[in-house]
CSV table of all heavy atoms in Angstrom, one decimal:
chain,number,residue,atom,x,y,z
C,1,MET,N,108.0,22.2,6.2
C,1,MET,CA,107.1,22.9,7.1
C,1,MET,C,105.8,22.1,7.3
C,1,MET,O,105.2,21.7,6.3
C,1,MET,CB,106.8,24.3,6.6
C,1,MET,CG,106.0,25.1,7.5
C,1,MET,SD,105.8,26.8,6.7
C,1,MET,CE,104.2,27.2,7.3
C,2,ALA,N,105.4,21.9,8.5
C,2,ALA,CA,104.1,21.2,8.7
C,2,ALA,C,102.9,21.9,8.2
C,2,ALA,O,102.9,23.2,8.3
C,2,ALA,CB,104.0,20.8,10.2
C,3,LYS,N,101.9,21.2,7.8
C,3,LYS,CA,100.7,21.8,7.4
C,3,LYS,C,99.9,22.3,8.7
C,3,LYS,O,100.0,21.7,9.7
C,3,LYS,CB,99.8,20.9,6.7
C,3,LYS,CG,100.2,20.7,5.2
C,3,LYS,CD,99.3,19.8,4.5
C,3,LYS,CE,99.8,19.5,3.1
C,3,LYS,NZ,99.2,18.4,2.5
C,4,LYS,N,99.2,23.4,8.5
C,4,LYS,CA,98.4,24.0,9.5
C,4,LYS,C,97.0,24.1,9.0
C,4,LYS,O,96.7,24.1,7.8
C,4,LYS,CB,98.9,25.3,9.9
C,4,LYS,CG,100.3,25.2,10.6
C,4,LYS,CD,100.9,26.6,10.9
C,4,LYS,CE,102.3,26.5,11.4
C,4,LYS,NZ,102.9,27.8,11.5
C,5,ALA,N,96.1,24.3,10.0
C,5,ALA,CA,94.7,24.5,9.6
C,5,ALA,C,94.2,25.8,10.3
C,5,ALA,O,94.6,26.2,11.4
C,5,ALA,CB,93.8,23.4,10.1
C,6,CYS,N,93.4,26.5,9.5
C,6,CYS,CA,92.8,27.8,10.0
C,6,CYS,C,91.8,27.5,11.1
C,6,CYS,O,90.9,26.7,10.9
C,6,CYS,CB,92.1,28.5,8.9
C,6,CYS,SG,91.3,30.0,9.4
C,7,LYS,N,91.9,28.2,12.3
C,7,LYS,CA,90.9,27.9,13.3
C,7,LYS,C,89.6,28.6,13.0
C,7,LYS,O,88.6,28.2,13.6
C,7,LYS,CB,91.5,28.6,14.6
C,7,LYS,CG,92.6,27.8,15.3
C,7,LYS,CD,93.0,28.4,16.6
C,7,LYS,CE,94.1,27.7,17.3
C,7,LYS,NZ,94.5,28.4,18.5
C,8,ASN,N,89.6,29.5,12.1
C,8,ASN,CA,88.3,30.2,11.8
C,8,ASN,C,87.5,29.5,10.8
C,8,ASN,O,86.3,29.2,11.0
C,8,ASN,CB,88.7,31.6,11.3
C,8,ASN,CG,87.5,32.5,11.1
C,8,ASN,OD1,86.6,32.5,11.9
C,8,ASN,ND2,87.5,33.3,10.1
C,9,CYS,N,88.1,29.1,9.6
C,9,CYS,CA,87.3,28.4,8.6
C,9,CYS,C,87.7,27.0,8.3
C,9,CYS,O,87.1,26.4,7.4
C,9,CYS,CB,87.4,29.3,7.3
C,9,CYS,SG,89.0,29.3,6.5
C,10,LYS,N,88.7,26.5,9.0
C,10,LYS,CA,89.2,25.1,8.9
C,10,LYS,C,90.0,24.8,7.6
C,10,LYS,O,90.3,23.7,7.4
C,10,LYS,CB,88.0,24.1,9.0
C,10,LYS,CG,87.3,24.2,10.3
C,10,LYS,CD,86.2,23.2,10.4
C,10,LYS,CE,85.5,23.3,11.7
C,10,LYS,NZ,84.3,22.5,11.7
C,11,ARG,N,90.3,25.8,6.9
C,11,ARG,CA,91.1,25.6,5.7
C,11,ARG,C,92.5,25.1,6.0
C,11,ARG,O,93.1,25.6,6.9
C,11,ARG,CB,91.2,26.9,4.9
C,11,ARG,CG,92.1,26.9,3.7
C,11,ARG,CD,91.4,26.3,2.5
C,11,ARG,NE,92.3,26.3,1.4
C,11,ARG,CZ,91.9,26.6,0.1
C,11,ARG,NH1,90.7,26.8,-0.1
C,11,ARG,NH2,92.8,26.5,-0.9
C,12,VAL,N,92.9,24.0,5.3
C,12,VAL,CA,94.3,23.6,5.5
C,12,VAL,C,95.2,24.5,4.7
C,12,VAL,O,95.1,24.7,3.5
C,12,VAL,CB,94.4,22.1,5.1
C,12,VAL,CG1,95.9,21.6,5.1
C,12,VAL,CG2,93.6,21.2,6.0
C,13,VAL,N,96.2,25.0,5.4
C,13,VAL,CA,97.2,25.9,4.9
C,13,VAL,C,98.5,25.2,4.7
C,13,VAL,O,99.1,24.9,5.7
C,13,VAL,CB,97.3,27.2,5.8
C,13,VAL,CG1,98.3,28.2,5.1
C,13,VAL,CG2,95.9,27.8,6.0
C,14,ALA,N,98.9,25.0,3.5
C,14,ALA,CA,100.2,24.3,3.2
C,14,ALA,C,101.4,25.2,3.3
C,14,ALA,O,102.5,24.7,3.6
C,14,ALA,CB,100.1,23.6,1.9
C,15,LYS,N,101.2,26.4,3.0
C,15,LYS,CA,102.3,27.4,2.9
C,15,LYS,C,102.0,28.7,3.6
C,15,LYS,O,100.8,29.1,3.5
C,15,LYS,CB,102.6,27.7,1.5
C,15,LYS,CG,103.6,26.9,0.8
C,15,LYS,CD,104.0,27.6,-0.5
C,15,LYS,CE,104.4,26.6,-1.6
C,15,LYS,NZ,104.6,27.3,-2.9
C,16,GLY,N,102.9,29.3,4.3
C,16,GLY,CA,102.7,30.6,4.9
C,16,GLY,C,102.0,30.5,6.2
C,16,GLY,O,101.7,29.4,6.7
C,17,ASN,N,101.8,31.6,6.8
C,17,ASN,CA,101.2,31.7,8.1
C,17,ASN,C,99.9,32.5,8.2
C,17,ASN,O,99.4,32.8,9.2
C,17,ASN,CB,102.2,32.4,9.1
C,17,ASN,CG,103.4,31.5,9.3
C,17,ASN,OD1,103.3,30.4,9.7
C,17,ASN,ND2,104.6,32.0,9.1
C,18,VAL,N,99.3,32.6,7.0
C,18,VAL,CA,98.0,33.3,6.9
C,18,VAL,C,97.0,32.5,6.1
C,18,VAL,O,97.4,31.9,5.1
C,18,VAL,CB,98.2,34.7,6.3
C,18,VAL,CG1,96.8,35.4,6.1
C,18,VAL,CG2,99.1,35.6,7.1
C,19,CYS,N,95.8,32.4,6.6
C,19,CYS,CA,94.8,31.6,5.8
C,19,CYS,C,94.5,32.3,4.5
C,19,CYS,O,94.2,33.5,4.5
C,19,CYS,CB,93.5,31.5,6.7
C,19,CYS,SG,92.1,30.8,5.8
C,20,PRO,N,94.5,31.6,3.4
C,20,PRO,CA,94.2,32.3,2.1
C,20,PRO,C,92.7,32.6,1.9
C,20,PRO,O,92.4,33.4,1.0
C,20,PRO,CB,94.7,31.2,1.0
C,20,PRO,CG,94.6,29.9,1.8
C,20,PRO,CD,94.9,30.2,3.2
C,21,VAL,N,91.9,32.0,2.7
C,21,VAL,CA,90.4,32.3,2.5
C,21,VAL,C,90.0,33.4,3.4
C,21,VAL,O,89.4,34.4,2.9
C,21,VAL,CB,89.6,31.0,2.9
C,21,VAL,CG1,88.1,31.3,2.8
C,21,VAL,CG2,90.0,29.8,2.0
C,22,CYS,N,90.3,33.4,4.7
C,22,CYS,CA,89.8,34.5,5.5
C,22,CYS,C,90.8,35.4,6.0
C,22,CYS,O,90.6,36.3,6.8
C,22,CYS,CB,88.9,33.9,6.7
C,22,CYS,SG,89.8,32.8,7.7
C,23,LYS,N,92.1,35.2,5.6
C,23,LYS,CA,93.2,36.1,5.8
C,23,LYS,C,93.6,36.2,7.3
C,23,LYS,O,94.3,37.2,7.7
C,23,LYS,CB,92.9,37.5,5.3
C,23,LYS,CG,92.4,37.6,3.9
C,23,LYS,CD,93.4,37.1,2.9
C,23,LYS,CE,92.8,37.2,1.5
C,23,LYS,NZ,93.5,36.4,0.5
C,24,THR,N,93.2,35.3,8.1
C,24,THR,CA,93.5,35.3,9.5
C,24,THR,C,94.9,34.6,9.8
C,24,THR,O,95.1,33.6,9.1
C,24,THR,CB,92.4,34.7,10.4
C,24,THR,OG1,92.9,34.7,11.8
C,24,THR,CG2,92.1,33.3,10.1
C,25,PRO,N,95.7,35.1,10.6
C,25,PRO,CA,96.9,34.3,11.0
C,25,PRO,C,96.7,33.3,12.1
C,25,PRO,O,97.6,32.7,12.7
C,25,PRO,CB,97.9,35.4,11.5
C,25,PRO,CG,97.0,36.5,12.0
C,25,PRO,CD,95.7,36.4,11.3
C,26,ASP,N,95.4,33.1,12.4
C,26,ASP,CA,95.0,32.2,13.6
C,26,ASP,C,95.0,30.8,13.1
C,26,ASP,O,94.0,30.2,12.9
C,26,ASP,CB,93.7,32.7,14.1
C,26,ASP,CG,93.4,32.1,15.5
C,26,ASP,OD1,94.4,31.6,16.1
C,26,ASP,OD2,92.3,32.2,16.0
C,27,LEU,N,96.2,30.1,13.0
C,27,LEU,CA,96.3,28.8,12.5
C,27,LEU,C,96.8,27.8,13.6
C,27,LEU,O,97.4,28.3,14.5
C,27,LEU,CB,97.4,28.7,11.3
C,27,LEU,CG,97.2,29.8,10.2
C,27,LEU,CD1,98.3,29.6,9.2
C,27,LEU,CD2,95.8,29.6,9.5
C,28,THR,N,96.5,26.6,13.4
C,28,THR,CA,96.9,25.6,14.4
C,28,THR,C,97.5,24.4,13.6
C,28,THR,O,97.0,24.0,12.6
C,28,THR,CB,95.8,25.1,15.3
C,28,THR,OG1,96.3,24.1,16.2
C,28,THR,CG2,94.6,24.5,14.5
C,29,SER,N,98.5,23.7,14.2
C,29,SER,CA,99.1,22.5,13.6
C,29,SER,C,98.5,21.3,14.2
C,29,SER,O,98.7,20.2,13.7
C,29,SER,CB,100.6,22.5,13.7
C,29,SER,OG,100.9,22.6,15.1
C,30,SER,N,97.6,21.4,15.2
C,30,SER,CA,97.0,20.3,15.7
C,30,SER,C,95.5,20.2,15.3
C,30,SER,O,94.6,20.7,15.9
C,30,SER,CB,97.1,20.3,17.3
C,30,SER,OG,96.4,21.5,17.8
C,31,PHE,N,95.3,19.6,14.1
C,31,PHE,CA,94.0,19.4,13.6
C,31,PHE,C,93.8,17.9,13.2
C,31,PHE,O,94.8,17.2,13.0
C,31,PHE,CB,93.7,20.3,12.4
C,31,PHE,CG,94.6,20.1,11.2
C,31,PHE,CD1,94.3,19.2,10.2
C,31,PHE,CD2,95.8,20.7,11.1
C,31,PHE,CE1,95.1,18.9,9.1
C,31,PHE,CE2,96.7,20.5,10.0
C,31,PHE,CZ,96.3,19.6,9.0
C,32,GLN,N,92.6,17.5,13.1
C,32,GLN,CA,92.3,16.1,12.8
C,32,GLN,C,91.5,15.9,11.5
C,32,GLN,O,90.5,16.6,11.3
C,32,GLN,CB,91.5,15.4,13.9
C,32,GLN,CG,92.3,15.2,15.2
C,32,GLN,CD,91.5,14.7,16.3
C,32,GLN,OE1,90.4,14.3,16.1
C,32,GLN,NE2,92.0,14.8,17.5
C,33,GLY,N,92.0,15.0,10.6
C,33,GLY,CA,91.3,14.7,9.4
C,33,GLY,C,91.3,15.8,8.4
C,33,GLY,O,91.5,16.9,8.7
C,34,VAL,N,91.2,15.4,7.1
C,34,VAL,CA,91.2,16.3,6.1
C,34,VAL,C,90.1,16.0,5.1
C,34,VAL,O,89.9,14.8,4.7
C,34,VAL,CB,92.6,16.4,5.3
C,34,VAL,CG1,92.5,17.2,4.1
C,34,VAL,CG2,93.7,16.9,6.3
C,35,ALA,N,89.3,16.9,4.7
C,35,ALA,CA,88.3,16.7,3.7
C,35,ALA,C,88.6,17.6,2.5
C,35,ALA,O,89.0,18.8,2.7
C,35,ALA,CB,86.9,17.1,4.2
C,36,VAL,N,88.6,17.0,1.3
C,36,VAL,CA,88.8,17.9,0.1
C,36,VAL,C,87.5,18.2,-0.5
C,36,VAL,O,86.7,17.4,-0.9
C,36,VAL,CB,89.7,17.1,-0.9
C,36,VAL,CG1,89.9,18.0,-2.2
C,36,VAL,CG2,91.0,16.7,-0.3
C,37,ILE,N,87.2,19.5,-0.5
C,37,ILE,CA,85.9,20.0,-1.0
C,37,ILE,C,86.1,20.5,-2.5
C,37,ILE,O,86.9,21.4,-2.7
C,37,ILE,CB,85.5,21.2,-0.1
C,37,ILE,CG1,85.4,20.8,1.3
C,37,ILE,CG2,84.1,21.8,-0.7
C,37,ILE,CD1,84.4,19.7,1.6
C,38,PHE,N,85.4,19.9,-3.4
C,38,PHE,CA,85.4,20.3,-4.8
C,38,PHE,C,84.3,21.3,-5.1
C,38,PHE,O,84.4,22.1,-6.0
C,38,PHE,CB,85.4,19.1,-5.7
C,38,PHE,CG,86.5,18.2,-5.6
C,38,PHE,CD1,86.4,17.0,-4.9
C,38,PHE,CD2,87.8,18.5,-6.1
C,38,PHE,CE1,87.5,16.1,-4.8
C,38,PHE,CE2,88.9,17.7,-6.0
C,38,PHE,CZ,88.7,16.5,-5.3
C,39,ASP,N,83.2,21.1,-4.4
C,39,ASP,CA,82.0,21.8,-4.7
C,39,ASP,C,81.5,22.5,-3.4
C,39,ASP,O,81.1,21.8,-2.4
C,39,ASP,CB,80.9,20.9,-5.2
C,39,ASP,CG,79.6,21.6,-5.5
C,39,ASP,OD1,79.5,22.8,-5.4
C,39,ASP,OD2,78.7,20.9,-6.0
C,40,ALA,N,81.6,23.8,-3.3
C,40,ALA,CA,81.2,24.6,-2.1
C,40,ALA,C,79.8,24.5,-1.8
C,40,ALA,O,79.3,24.9,-0.8
C,40,ALA,CB,81.7,26.0,-2.2
C,41,ASP,N,79.0,24.0,-2.8
C,41,ASP,CA,77.5,23.9,-2.6
C,41,ASP,C,77.1,22.5,-2.1
C,41,ASP,O,75.9,22.2,-1.9
C,41,ASP,CB,76.7,24.2,-3.9
C,41,ASP,CG,76.9,25.7,-4.2
C,41,ASP,OD1,76.9,26.5,-3.3
C,41,ASP,OD2,77.0,26.0,-5.4
C,42,SER,N,78.1,21.6,-1.9
C,42,SER,CA,77.7,20.2,-1.6
C,42,SER,C,77.4,20.2,-0.1
C,42,SER,O,77.7,21.1,0.7
C,42,SER,CB,78.9,19.3,-1.8
C,42,SER,OG,80.0,19.7,-1.0
C,43,GLU,N,76.7,19.0,0.3
C,43,GLU,CA,76.3,18.9,1.7
C,43,GLU,C,77.4,18.9,2.7
C,43,GLU,O,77.3,19.5,3.7
C,43,GLU,CB,75.6,17.5,1.8
C,43,GLU,CG,74.1,17.6,1.4
C,43,GLU,CD,73.3,18.7,2.1
C,43,GLU,OE1,73.4,18.7,3.4
C,43,GLU,OE2,72.6,19.4,1.4
C,44,ILE,N,78.6,18.3,2.3
C,44,ILE,CA,79.7,18.2,3.2
C,44,ILE,C,80.3,19.6,3.4
C,44,ILE,O,80.7,20.0,4.5
C,44,ILE,CB,80.8,17.2,2.8
C,44,ILE,CG1,81.8,17.1,3.9
C,44,ILE,CG2,81.4,17.5,1.5
C,44,ILE,CD1,82.6,15.8,3.9
C,45,ALA,N,80.3,20.4,2.4
C,45,ALA,CA,80.8,21.8,2.5
C,45,ALA,C,79.9,22.6,3.4
C,45,ALA,O,80.4,23.4,4.2
C,45,ALA,CB,80.8,22.4,1.1
C,46,LYS,N,78.6,22.4,3.3
C,46,LYS,CA,77.7,23.1,4.2
C,46,LYS,C,77.8,22.7,5.6
C,46,LYS,O,77.8,23.5,6.5
C,46,LYS,CB,76.2,22.8,3.7
C,46,LYS,CG,75.9,23.7,2.5
C,46,LYS,CD,74.5,23.3,2.0
C,46,LYS,CE,74.2,23.9,0.6
C,46,LYS,NZ,73.1,23.3,-0.1
C,47,ARG,N,78.0,21.4,5.8
C,47,ARG,CA,78.2,20.9,7.2
C,47,ARG,C,79.5,21.5,7.8
C,47,ARG,O,79.6,21.7,9.0
C,47,ARG,CB,78.3,19.4,7.2
C,47,ARG,CG,76.9,18.7,7.2
C,47,ARG,CD,77.0,17.2,7.3
C,47,ARG,NE,77.6,16.7,8.5
C,47,ARG,CZ,77.8,15.4,8.7
C,47,ARG,NH1,77.3,14.5,7.9
C,47,ARG,NH2,78.3,15.0,9.8
C,48,LEU,N,80.5,21.6,7.0
C,48,LEU,CA,81.8,22.2,7.5
C,48,LEU,C,81.8,23.7,7.5
C,48,LEU,O,82.7,24.3,8.0
C,48,LEU,CB,83.0,21.7,6.6
C,48,LEU,CG,83.3,20.2,6.8
C,48,LEU,CD1,84.3,19.8,5.7
C,48,LEU,CD2,83.9,19.9,8.1
C,49,GLY,N,80.8,24.3,6.9
C,49,GLY,CA,80.7,25.7,6.8
C,49,GLY,C,81.7,26.3,5.8
C,49,GLY,O,82.2,27.4,6.0
C,50,VAL,N,81.9,25.5,4.8
C,50,VAL,CA,82.9,25.9,3.8
C,50,VAL,C,82.3,26.7,2.6
C,50,VAL,O,81.2,26.4,2.2
C,50,VAL,CB,83.6,24.6,3.2
C,50,VAL,CG1,84.3,24.9,1.9
C,50,VAL,CG2,84.5,24.0,4.3
C,51,THR,N,83.0,27.7,2.2
C,51,THR,CA,82.4,28.6,1.1
C,51,THR,C,83.3,28.6,-0.1
C,51,THR,O,82.9,29.1,-1.1
C,51,THR,CB,82.2,30.0,1.6
C,51,THR,OG1,83.5,30.5,2.1
C,51,THR,CG2,81.2,30.1,2.7
C,52,ALA,N,84.5,27.9,-0.1
C,52,ALA,CA,85.3,27.9,-1.3
C,52,ALA,C,85.9,26.5,-1.4
C,52,ALA,O,86.2,25.8,-0.3
C,52,ALA,CB,86.4,28.9,-1.1
C,53,PRO,N,86.2,26.0,-2.6
C,53,PRO,CA,86.8,24.6,-2.7
C,53,PRO,C,88.2,24.6,-2.1
C,53,PRO,O,88.9,25.7,-2.1
C,53,PRO,CB,86.8,24.4,-4.2
C,53,PRO,CG,85.8,25.4,-4.8
C,53,PRO,CD,85.8,26.6,-3.9
C,54,GLY,N,88.6,23.4,-1.7
C,54,GLY,CA,90.0,23.3,-1.2
C,54,GLY,C,90.0,22.2,-0.1
C,54,GLY,O,89.1,21.4,0.0
C,55,LYS,N,91.1,22.2,0.6
C,55,LYS,CA,91.3,21.1,1.6
C,55,LYS,C,90.9,21.7,3.0
C,55,LYS,O,91.4,22.8,3.3
C,55,LYS,CB,92.8,20.7,1.7
C,55,LYS,CG,93.1,19.6,0.7
C,55,LYS,CD,94.5,19.1,1.1
C,55,LYS,CE,95.0,18.1,0.1
C,55,LYS,NZ,96.3,17.6,0.4
C,56,TYR,N,90.2,21.0,3.7
C,56,TYR,CA,89.7,21.5,5.0
C,56,TYR,C,89.9,20.5,6.1
C,56,TYR,O,89.7,19.3,5.9
C,56,TYR,CB,88.3,21.9,5.0
C,56,TYR,CG,88.1,23.1,4.1
C,56,TYR,CD1,87.9,23.0,2.7
C,56,TYR,CD2,88.1,24.4,4.6
C,56,TYR,CE1,87.8,24.1,1.9
C,56,TYR,CE2,87.9,25.5,3.8
C,56,TYR,CZ,87.8,25.3,2.5
C,56,TYR,OH,87.7,26.4,1.7
C,57,ALA,N,90.3,20.9,7.3
C,57,ALA,CA,90.4,20.0,8.5
C,57,ALA,C,89.0,19.7,9.0
C,57,ALA,O,88.1,20.5,8.9
C,57,ALA,CB,91.2,20.7,9.6
C,58,LEU,N,88.8,18.4,9.4
C,58,LEU,CA,87.5,18.0,10.0
C,58,LEU,C,87.3,18.5,11.4
C,58,LEU,O,86.2,18.9,11.8
C,58,LEU,CB,87.3,16.5,9.9
C,58,LEU,CG,87.3,15.9,8.5
C,58,LEU,CD1,87.2,14.4,8.6
C,58,LEU,CD2,86.1,16.4,7.7
C,59,LYS,N,88.4,18.6,12.1
C,59,LYS,CA,88.4,19.0,13.5
C,59,LYS,C,89.6,19.9,13.8
C,59,LYS,O,90.7,19.4,13.6
C,59,LYS,CB,88.3,17.8,14.4
C,59,LYS,CG,87.8,18.0,15.7
C,59,LYS,CD,87.6,16.7,16.4
C,59,LYS,CE,87.2,16.9,17.9
C,59,LYS,NZ,87.1,15.6,18.6
C,60,VAL,N,89.4,21.1,14.3
C,60,VAL,CA,90.5,21.9,14.7
C,60,VAL,C,90.4,22.3,16.1
C,60,VAL,O,89.3,22.3,16.7
C,60,VAL,CB,90.6,23.2,13.8
C,60,VAL,CG1,91.1,23.0,12.4
C,60,VAL,CG2,89.3,24.0,13.8
U,1,ZN,ZN1,90.5,30.7,7.4
């Protein structure tokens, strides 16, 4: 199964059809780039609007 990204929070979802962060089923398989966030307080996390560690798409 292809990976998808959440249109709402950009989280990359490897399994299932619901985002594990915001629980929305609004996913897309056409996303660009992946950033791995280890620290939700880092600058890149803030720029992406990320609040939890994990893999995120750069562009959805
Ligand atoms: Zn989400």
Side-chain angles (χ1 to χ4, degrees):
M1 183 178 150
K3 282 183 184 166
K4 294 175 184 174
C6 176
K7 285 184 181 177
N8 189 39
C9 68
K10 299 181 182 171
R11 174 77 180 218
V12 173
V13 181
K15 268 193 213 172
N17 291 307
V18 178
C19 174
V21 177
C22 60
K23 314 292 181 198
T24 176
D26 197 11
L27 309 178
T28 178
S29 55
S30 60
F31 62 91
Q32 288 175 13
V34 172
V36 180
I37 304 297
F38 294 104
D39 180 0
D41 293 321
S42 64
E43 278 304 310
I44 186 160
K46 283 175 191 161
R47 276 181 63 177
L48 291 170
V50 163
T51 55
K55 272 189 185 179
Y56 292 86
L58 294 177
K59 202 171 174 186
V60 287

